[in-house]
Amino acid sequence: MITITVCIGSSCHLKGSYDIVTELQKIIKNNNLEDKVTIKASFCLGNCTKAVSVKIDDGDVLSVNKNNINEFFNEYILKKL
Ligand code: FES
């Protein structure tokens, strides 16, 4: 199981972490990965300038936005499965 942690701290919240969570849920569902990928919310991941901050399992903090979310998913999730 891969866990995607999405920051919902104030900076990330302002930059649309809610949309990122919704979008990720949609992508996971469309790829039938509900039993392989899970989404968790977290408070500030310490990378506010690069909001929206996202972490995969215990990896580095990555920056995700609406424009790169598909790329992000392909690169960091699909390739890991
Ligand atoms: S508020 Fe998201 S990294 Fe700080």
Side-chain angles (χ1 to χ4, degrees):
M1 179 69 93
I2 295 178
T3 304
I4 308 177
T5 304
V6 180
C7 177
I8 53 161
S10 43
S11 303
C12 292
H13 174 73
L14 285 175
K15 292 234 178 125
S17 45
Y18 179 78
D19 291 343
I20 297 297
V21 171
T22 314
E23 203 56 41
L24 285 173
Q25 280 168 340
K26 223 189 283 171
I27 301 174
I28 290 167
K29 194 160 182 259
N30 291 344
N31 285 283
N32 292 317
L33 295 173
E34 287 104 326
D35 55 343
K36 293 203 171 74
V37 184
T38 180
I39 302 175
K40 231 175 70 182
S42 146
F43 293 115
C44 184
L45 292 173
N47 212 13
C48 315
T49 49
K50 293 194 181 156
V52 175
S53 297
V54 167
K55 208 166 80 166
I56 298 164
D57 294 330
D58 285 325
D60 293 334
V61 177
L62 304 163
S63 176
V64 177
N65 57 50
K66 273 188 154 182
N67 299 323
N68 71 7
I69 192 161
N70 284 311
E71 222 172 276
F72 160 81
F73 200 85
N74 289 339
E75 185 67 27
Y76 291 97
I77 309 294
L78 292 181
K79 280 192 183 169
K80 272 193 155 194
L81 292 169

